[in-house]
Amino acid sequence: MSVPPQGGPRHIAIVMDGNGRWATRRFLPRLEGHRQGVDTLRRCARACAQRGVAVLTVFAFSCENWGRPAEEVSGLMELLVQALAREVPQLQRDGVRLYFVGEREGLSPKVCAGLAQAQAATAENSRLVLNVCFNYGGRWDIAQAAAALAARGEPITEASLHGALGLAHVSDPDLLIRTGGEMRISNFLLWQAAYSELFFSDRLWPDFDEPALDEALAAFRGRERRFGKTSEQLLSVHSC
């Protein structure tokens, strides 16, 4: 592991929390908060690319979210399809490569087709990798990786398990942000966030703007990442 260039994070992960509360406080349907959340994600992805971040991973829909009211879940699925149709052309122009990480079982053929088409359409882009964790859970990710290795008859080691996880195509997140004022990671990137710096923002996700992102980046740059070593060992390495 190494510290990213210029002291900034190479990979940022975000739990985009607070869409429903944002809408409720404005006496709007909860789905309107999710629509605003899509706009915030667009701005955040662009801001990350401008700040030299290489990978952005966001928690869009968890395995546990199926327990929400049926009309909210169906609305989220339709919103996803609409957002893909609207956003992918701009993501293509911005050089953003989309990956969708999560369980496909349980998703409609329409949603699955939209995910596959968006991923294929942006496959050659390289400015920013945008991982969207949809129908995802950290425990599911570890379990499916172990099951895949067992089915192939491969030994289950830290290295092999890491390579079978849904985010094996990118480095682990340097910085994990959660908006909405809650201080937990809620089954998100349980394996990959082992050494991530954590930043909790009181802002609801639709209100998370560029200054809020810069606040998180400044906090990250002010931390010492030791990865089990001592401060003295790090100073010795950097002085060589």
Side-chain angles (χ1 to χ4, degrees), residues 9 32 47 65-66 97 105 120 125 152 175 185 199 203 228:
E32 184 57 34
N65 287 155
W66 290 105
R97 183 173 188 177
E105 187 176 344
N125 296 340
R152 297 197 295 262
L175 172 64
I185 61 174
F199 182 86
R203 296 198 187 203

Side-chain angles (χ1 to χ4, degrees), residues 14-19 21-22 25 177-186 199-208:
I14 304 179
V15 180
M16 305 182 295
D17 191 25
N19 292 331
R21 282 176 286 158
W22 182 92
R25 290 177 184 179
I177 300 169
R178 180 175 183 141
T179 64
E182 305 291 356
M183 295 187 181
R184 55 179 179 268
I185 61 174
S186 297
F199 182 86
F200 298 100
S201 172
D202 288 332
R203 296 198 187 203
L204 303 177
W205 175 243
D207 293 328
F208 192 80

Side-chain angles (χ1 to χ4, degrees), residues 113-223:
L115 300 183
Q117 290 168 6
Q119 194 162 294
T122 61
E124 301 303 317
N125 296 340
S126 59
R127 187 182 184 199
L128 175 76
V129 174
L130 175 57
N131 299 306
V132 179
C133 293
F134 195 86
N135 198 22
Y136 172 89
R139 292 176 176 176
W140 164 85
D141 197 8
I142 295 169
Q144 67 82 25
L149 292 172
R152 297 197 295 262
E154 299 180 20
I156 298 177
T157 65
E158 282 196 25
S160 65
L161 193 61
H162 189 88
L165 292 169
L167 288 174
H169 57 285
V170 294
S171 61
D172 288 344
D174 304 296
L175 172 64
L176 191 155
I177 300 169
R178 180 175 183 141
T179 64
E182 305 291 356
M183 295 187 181
R184 55 179 179 268
I185 61 174
S186 297
N187 197 20
F188 183 46
L189 305 184
L190 296 182
W191 178 283
Q192 297 90 341
Y195 280 100
S196 300
E197 295 296 322
L198 306 181
F199 182 86
F200 298 100
S201 172
D202 288 332
R203 296 198 187 203
L204 303 177
W205 175 243
D207 293 328
F208 192 80
D209 53 13
E210 288 84 348
L213 175 63
D214 289 335
E215 181 185 1
L217 294 176
F220 176 87
R221 287 191 291 268
R223 298 182 188 180

